């Protein structure tokens, strides 16, 4: 199924423009709140030691919140980059090679988002990079 611009929505996150819009807005709120929490931690703790930071970030509430933030970042990036690619890499602007270029860029973007998502989960719930490198 094609939308009015003639661009297939196969690589959109939810397959619906309004649902993608909602994902974008909710993920932005999650990321904003996460940023405020981190900023609040630094503002309320003068000189932060490694032990304070590690204790804060490895507490169960922060690990869960960080997982939600990583998932929100992945969804936000996916929808945002899909929107940029479909808005600016069009046949009208780039010629007949636009659909192929857009497919390549979207594929690379999806791979990157999935790698960063996996890596982020491993940082907060695994042993970090050592698990990925082995």
């Amino acid at each position: 199924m094609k939308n009015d611009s003639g661009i297939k929505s196969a690589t959109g996150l939810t397959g619906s423009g309004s649902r993608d819009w909602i994902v974008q807005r909710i993920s932005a709120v999650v990321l904003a709140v996460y940023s405020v929490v981190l900023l609040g931690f630094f503002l309320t703790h003068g000189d932060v030691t490694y032990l304070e930071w590690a204790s804060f970030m490895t507490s169960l509430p922060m690990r869960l919140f960080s997982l939600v933030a990583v998932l929100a970042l992945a969804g936000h990036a996916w929808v945002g980059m899909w929107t940029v690619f479909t808005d600016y890499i069009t046949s009208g602007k780039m010629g007949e090679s636009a659909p192929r270029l857009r497919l390549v860029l979207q594929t690379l973007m999806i791979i990157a988002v999935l790698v960063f998502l996996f890596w982020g989960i491993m940082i907060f719930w695994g042993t970090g990079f050592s698990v990925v490198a082995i």
Side-chain angles (χ1 to χ4, degrees):
M1 175 179 235
K2 292 184 175 189
N3 58 18
D4 291 342
S5 65
I7 296 172
K8 291 182 181 177
S9 179
T11 55
L13 186 61
T14 66
S16 163
S18 57
R19 285 192 302 257
D20 283 351
W21 185 87
I22 290 170
V23 166
Q24 190 81 6
R25 296 322 176 261
I26 290 173
S27 64
V29 169
V30 168
L31 293 171
V33 171
Y34 188 76
S35 298
V36 168
V37 167
L38 291 180
L39 181 63
F41 174 80
F42 285 114
L43 292 177
T44 58
H45 295 77
D47 290 330
V48 178
T49 65
Y50 174 77
L51 289 175
E52 289 175 320
W53 175 249
S55 175
F56 175 67
M57 290 304 291
T58 57
S59 68
L60 184 59
M62 267 319 283
R63 287 176 69 183
L64 290 172
F65 194 23
S66 296
L67 176 64
V68 170
V70 167
L71 292 170
L73 182 62
H76 194 84
W78 190 313
V79 173
M81 291 308 297
W82 180 85
T83 302
V84 168
F85 292 152
T86 56
D87 284 352
Y88 295 105
I89 302 179
T90 63
S91 298
K93 295 179 183 180
M94 311 249 337
E96 291 182 19
S97 65
R100 288 185 300 278
L101 176 61
R102 189 172 51 251
L103 179 63
V104 168
L105 291 173
Q106 287 175 338
T107 302
L108 292 173
M109 181 264 312
I110 289 169
I111 291 168
V113 166
L114 291 175
V115 166
F116 291 136
L117 178 64
F118 175 73
W119 198 5
I121 291 170
M122 292 308 300
I123 287 170
F124 287 107
W125 293 96
T127 57
F129 184 71
S130 61
V131 171
V132 177
I134 291 178

